[in-house]
Amino acid sequence: MEYRTLGKSGLQISAIGFGCMSLQPDAPHNQQLIDKAIEKGINFFDTADLYAKGMNERMLGSYLKGKRRDVILATKVGNQWREDGSGWDWNASKEYILSAIEDSLQRLGTDYIDLYQLHGGMLEDRKEEVVEAFELLQRQGKIRYYGISSIRPNVIDWYVRHSSIASVMMQYSLLDRRPEEHCLDLLQQHQVGVLARGSLAGGLLINKQPQDYLGHFATVVEQGATAIREQSVTHRDSVQTAIRYVLSNAAISSVVVGIRTAQQLQEALLVPAAPDLTAEEIAALQDAVPANFYEQHRL
């Protein structure tokens, strides 16, 4: 397994992270997936209190019982389920963050979280309160580091300049090159780690029927998938090529892959051993899919 430092945090995390949102509730093979992932070197596991109304955290906590010290555990806060379960509302208040972590710690069966992330964020938030809450939790020893999960450049820019975030989780793939315009360079410059999600574009880059995606017409999506196949070599398949494209950017600390089956885990585990993309291969991929840009929340 390949390991990278998460920004300036000092955390050494696996280049492939285990995205737990995809885990099927109480599926009998989940324990085997987690055990094999750890055995093969994956040490970064990401969940959120939002997923399955907290049950995803509870499941993960049970699967990691006796293995807590072997992993880097990340979860998220900010989306508050309504009491009637009909949906959730955004709540980034200091009071809520300080309350919500107690429930996450209990569900996860741990007394600390390695990376606590704001699950979104808007300019209208009382952002100073968010930072105060996270830094208080750090002093209390309940979290080691904090970050945000956001695709909004103006929100990301504020936290980079006014907090000590260790990381930003954002969507990034050959079909979603929006972070390349500003965010990736900004985060690398400030030594903030990037956790990339959506590297396969929901399967559009590997096996899914082409369809319009983030401003790209289906024909362009098909061009991207074709380019991925063409740049795959003897020791690298399409999944590995698509993820290697994301890992080729120096700002990326880890690609968080949603895993729910043994096959998906096996595909993810093969990525670190796959050859890096050459500069020529990266250029060919970028030539196949024009860069897209954020239309809202710009700086």
Side-chain angles (χ1 to χ4, degrees), residues 88-208:
W88 61 87
D89 300 298
W90 180 244
N91 190 344
S93 68
K94 180 177 181 179
E95 179 182 19
Y96 178 66
I97 292 171
L98 296 180
S99 171
I101 193 171
E102 301 300 333
D103 293 328
S104 286
L105 289 170
Q106 189 274 329
R107 287 190 292 259
L108 288 164
T110 185
D111 56 2
Y112 72 98
I113 292 166
D114 296 292
L115 180 66
Y116 203 36
Q117 303 160 96
L118 186 68
H119 203 172
M122 298 179 288
L123 282 183
E124 295 76 18
D125 293 339
R126 296 179 179 176
K127 298 181 290 299
E128 292 85 359
E129 277 195 18
V130 175
V131 175
E132 288 175 7
F134 283 143
E135 295 189 347
L136 174 58
L137 292 174
Q138 273 187 312
R139 292 194 297 272
Q140 293 175 338
K142 294 178 180 179
I143 67 174
R144 296 176 67 189
Y145 300 97
Y146 65 92
I148 64 172
S149 176
S150 177
I151 62 171
R152 298 178 172 185
N154 51 10
V155 171
I156 292 169
D157 186 79
W158 189 93
Y159 279 97
V160 166
R161 301 183 189 282
H162 298 93
S163 76
S164 298
I165 56 171
S167 64
V168 173
M169 177 176 282
M170 59 172 58
Q171 183 167 290
Y172 179 42
S173 72
L174 180 63
L175 291 176
D176 187 0
R177 294 174 55 195
R178 295 175 297 176
E180 293 177 356
E181 180 186 8
H182 173 77
C183 292
L184 294 181
D185 286 344
L186 173 73
L187 294 168
Q188 185 179 14
Q189 175 187 345
H190 288 269
Q191 294 182 281
V192 176
V194 177
L195 302 169
R197 59 178 178 83
S199 58
L200 302 179
L204 289 171
L205 286 171
I206 53 170
N207 55 18
K208 193 174 179 181

Side-chain angles (χ1 to χ4, degrees), residues 1-296:
M1 179 56 65
E2 175 186 350
Y3 297 91
R4 299 183 176 191
T5 303
L6 183 65
K8 52 182 177 288
S9 72
L11 294 176
Q12 294 294 310
I13 67 174
S14 48
I16 300 299
F18 196 121
C20 298
M21 183 179 72
S22 299
L23 289 173
Q24 297 173 320
D26 296 320
H29 63 273
N30 286 349
Q31 184 70 65
Q32 287 87 353
L33 290 177
I34 298 294
D35 290 346
K36 184 174 181 180
I38 295 173
E39 176 191 343
K40 297 298 183 180
I42 291 179
N43 72 349
F44 184 74
F45 291 81
D46 177 78
T47 182
D49 59 3
L50 177 68
Y51 304 156
K53 300 180 181 178
M55 285 305 299
N56 196 267
E57 285 184 328
R58 193 177 302 280
M59 284 195 306
L60 182 59
S62 69
Y63 301 146
L64 293 177
K65 191 172 183 180
K67 307 176 182 68
R68 177 66 183 91
R69 303 296 174 179
D70 300 327
V71 304
I72 305 296
L73 184 56
T75 192
K76 311 182 195 73
V77 64
N79 294 292
Q80 183 177 17
W81 278 100
R82 300 176 193 135
E83 289 188 8
D84 63 5
S86 63
W88 61 87
D89 300 298
W90 180 244
N91 190 344
S93 68
K94 180 177 181 179
E95 179 182 19
Y96 178 66
I97 292 171
L98 296 180
S99 171
I101 193 171
E102 301 300 333
D103 293 328
S104 286
L105 289 170
Q106 189 274 329
R107 287 190 292 259
L108 288 164
T110 185
D111 56 2
Y112 72 98
I113 292 166
D114 296 292
L115 180 66
Y116 203 36
Q117 303 160 96
L118 186 68
H119 203 172
M122 298 179 288
L123 282 183
E124 295 76 18
D125 293 339
R126 296 179 179 176
K127 298 181 290 299
E128 292 85 359
E129 277 195 18
V130 175
V131 175
E132 288 175 7
F134 283 143
E135 295 189 347
L136 174 58
L137 292 174
Q138 273 187 312
R139 292 194 297 272
Q140 293 175 338
K142 294 178 180 179
I143 67 174
R144 296 176 67 189
Y145 300 97
Y146 65 92
I148 64 172
S149 176
S150 177
I151 62 171
R152 298 178 172 185
N154 51 10
V155 171
I156 292 169
D157 186 79
W158 189 93
Y159 279 97
V160 166
R161 301 183 189 282
H162 298 93
S163 76
S164 298
I165 56 171
S167 64
V168 173
M169 177 176 282
M170 59 172 58
Q171 183 167 290
Y172 179 42
S173 72
L174 180 63
L175 291 176
D176 187 0
R177 294 174 55 195
R178 295 175 297 176
E180 293 177 356
E181 180 186 8
H182 173 77
C183 292
L184 294 181
D185 286 344
L186 173 73
L187 294 168
Q188 185 179 14
Q189 175 187 345
H190 288 269
Q191 294 182 281
V192 176
V194 177
L195 302 169
R197 59 178 178 83
S199 58
L200 302 179
L204 289 171
L205 286 171
I206 53 170
N207 55 18
K208 193 174 179 181
Q209 185 71 23
Q211 63 187 47
D212 294 353
Y213 183 77
L214 294 177
H216 296 306
F217 291 120
T219 52
V220 175
V221 171
E222 187 171 11
Q223 288 172 197
T226 299
I228 289 288
R229 288 194 299 271
E230 290 176 346
Q231 298 307 320
S232 298
V233 295
T234 304
H235 301 294
R236 192 197 315 125
D237 63 20
S238 292
V239 171
Q240 294 158 3
T241 299
I243 295 178
R244 272 290 170 197
Y245 174 78
V246 176
L247 286 171
S248 70
N249 192 293
I252 305 300
S253 298
S254 181
V255 172
V256 180
V257 180
I259 296 172
R260 70 174 182 277
T261 68
Q263 179 180 346
Q264 290 171 338
L265 175 59
Q266 184 61 25
E267 290 172 345
L269 288 171
L270 291 173
V271 171
D276 291 334
L277 298 178
T278 66
E280 292 75 17
E281 288 173 325
I282 292 171
L285 291 172
Q286 293 178 336
D287 286 344
V289 180
N292 49 354
F293 303 95
Y294 291 115
E295 296 181 359
Q296 298 176 318

